[in-house]
Amino acid sequence: MNKIILDTDPGGDDIFALLWLQSLVKQGLAELIAVTTAEGNISSKLTFINASKVLSLGGFEQVELGRGVTVKNSHVADAAHIHGMDGMGNISHNLPPVKHDFDSAAYSDDLIIDKLNAHPGEITILAVAPLTNLAAAESKSPGILKKAKEVVIMGGAFKVPGNVTPHAEFNIIYNSEAAEKVFASRNDIVVLPLDITQELIFTPEMAEDITRNYQSHLTKFISDLCKFMTTANLRYRQTKGIKGFLVHDGAAVAYLFYPETLFFRRAQVEIETQGHHTLGKTLFDDRFNPKTDANAWVALQVDRVSLLASLVEDLNFLCMEI
């Protein structure tokens, strides 16, 4: 059974990834060891609050929750314009109250260190946020990320434009120095970049498939969040005019449980941390030269139909169980 730490900054697509994981746990396919929240889409306190509410919504309030390490000098602003001022489409007031205490919670980097030391070689980290927490853990305890079974990152843009600048994706540019440290930590990082996640458009019809048979706080939340995110994605031209929104972070969950939907290439990934126009760019060398320092597997093709169908069916299962 997969033991998982989800490092996340909820955030609409983060929420769908967390709900997907909760369904897989309820199906007996995974164990959610902890959720470590990060500053990114919104502030660290709000990402903590959102994760707590979504865990309670699915009946997982017992899962340990970490508070994010603060970024002192991020290169970009947060993404509240996409996700709403509360990170949840401005509907967080409809969710259960917060069950975790932010002030007394362990910091996310400490939680990562503690869990990896307790279960060396057993835990997969799904990192779907800026990589601040992972880099902080690696700085505080050098070599700690090698104790993870795998480190899976949603981030980067290689052969497609970025979603913050022409070259950079949000999770990488938000703290590019952290990304550089994480990619240097081991030689088998799994990367799910915009190259494939820009194809993962969750439509209102998919939401209806999930919500039509069940009436609960969860189905109403899924429906309302889908409506908000669809409007925001259309406004900011995220989906090229297709009605729906991008579930970028779902690709990390799919990698673990539906690997047949993704196709990878081996690469030596580099992070641009100095460029004025190219800050946060992820790149690899495409030339036919020997590569002796490859550090990652990068997804460049996706079976989007099968991936999204799996997401819908697993969310259906979660709604049935609530």
Side-chain angles (χ1 to χ4, degrees):
M1 182 183 295
N2 287 308
K3 289 182 171 68
I4 297 169
I5 292 174
L6 180 68
D7 190 72
T8 179
D9 58 336
D13 55 321
D14 299 74
I15 290 167
F16 272 71
L18 180 52
L19 290 173
W20 198 356
L21 272 181
Q22 289 179 75
S23 174
L24 292 159
V25 173
K26 283 184 179 288
Q27 293 176 60
L29 300 173
E31 181 181 355
L32 188 55
I33 297 293
V35 173
T36 52
T37 59
E39 180 182 283
N41 283 323
I42 44 175
S43 70
S44 59
K45 186 166 187 177
L46 282 177
T47 60
F48 181 93
I49 288 170
N50 290 353
S52 179
K53 289 188 172 189
V54 174
L55 285 168
S56 296
L57 189 63
F60 286 87
E61 55 272 0
Q62 78 283 359
V63 172
E64 196 166 357
L65 187 61
R67 58 183 286 184
V69 176
T70 301
V71 182
K72 292 182 179 178
N73 295 298
S74 176
H75 302 298
V76 295
D78 65 25
H81 61 290
I82 293 288
H83 298 276
M85 295 307 296
D86 64 354
M88 286 189 175
N90 303 320
I91 55 174
S92 60
H93 58 280
N94 295 327
L95 292 183
V98 176
K99 298 292 179 65
H100 301 81
D101 181 57
F102 178 79
D103 292 327
S104 63
Y107 277 95
S108 292
D109 57 338
D110 292 329
L111 196 52
I112 289 169
I113 292 168
D114 290 347
K115 298 302 183 184
L116 292 182
N117 280 329
H119 305 279
E122 297 180 24
I123 295 174
T124 296
I125 299 176
L126 297 185
V128 297
L131 296 171
T132 308
N133 293 330
L134 275 67
E138 186 68 18
S139 294
K140 190 175 287 187
S141 180
I144 191 65
L145 293 181
K146 288 183 179 176
K147 291 190 176 183
K149 181 180 180 181
E150 287 186 289
V151 175
V152 182
I153 293 170
M154 186 277 123
F158 293 89
K159 297 178 179 291
V160 299
N163 59 359
V164 176
T165 73
H167 301 286
E169 179 273 335
F170 179 82
N171 285 345
I172 302 298
I173 195 174
Y174 193 86
N175 191 343
S176 58
E177 291 86 357
E180 183 180 47
K181 178 173 281 292
V182 172
F183 274 91
S185 70
R186 50 192 295 161
N187 65 4
D188 58 353
I189 302 285
V190 176
V191 189
L192 295 314
L194 293 184
D195 302 66
I196 58 108
T197 67
Q198 67 177 0
E199 299 184 40
L200 304 180
I201 302 174
F202 189 90
T203 66
E205 290 76 21
M206 293 174 188
E208 187 177 347
D209 285 344
I210 297 166
T211 59
R212 69 159 59 97
N213 296 321
Y214 313 102
Q215 297 295 321
S216 67
H217 291 301
L218 175 57
T219 56
K220 181 172 181 2
F221 175 64
I222 289 172
S223 178
D224 290 345
L225 184 58
C226 181
K227 289 175 184 175
F228 178 91
M229 292 298 296
T230 294
T231 299
N233 274 234
L234 287 171
R235 181 184 305 122
Y236 291 100
R237 297 170 174 82
Q238 299 288 306
T239 57
K240 299 179 181 178
I242 298 172
K243 193 174 183 181
F245 72 98
L246 294 169
V247 284
H248 299 287
D249 297 335
V253 180
Y255 162 75
L256 272 189
F257 297 95
Y258 301 98
E260 65 277 6
T261 63
L262 294 158
F263 301 86
F264 290 84
R265 66 161 288 176
R266 188 80 168 124
Q268 180 181 343
V269 174
E270 305 283 354
I271 310 294
E272 176 56 66
T273 62
Q274 302 298 320
H276 177 69
H277 296 291
T278 58
L279 182 69
K281 181 176 176 59
T282 50
L283 60 151
F284 53 66
D285 189 349
D286 255 337
R287 296 173 298 172
F288 287 97
N289 296 328
K291 311 292 192 303
T292 59
D293 295 312
N295 61 354
W297 292 93
V298 181
L300 293 178
Q301 296 180 57
V302 61
D303 178 355
R304 62 177 181 81
V305 173
S306 297
L307 190 156
L308 290 167
S310 299
L311 169 59
V312 168
E313 288 310 309
D314 285 331
L315 289 181
N316 259 316
F317 180 89
L318 181 64
C319 291
M320 180 176 64
E321 292 294 302
I322 297 300

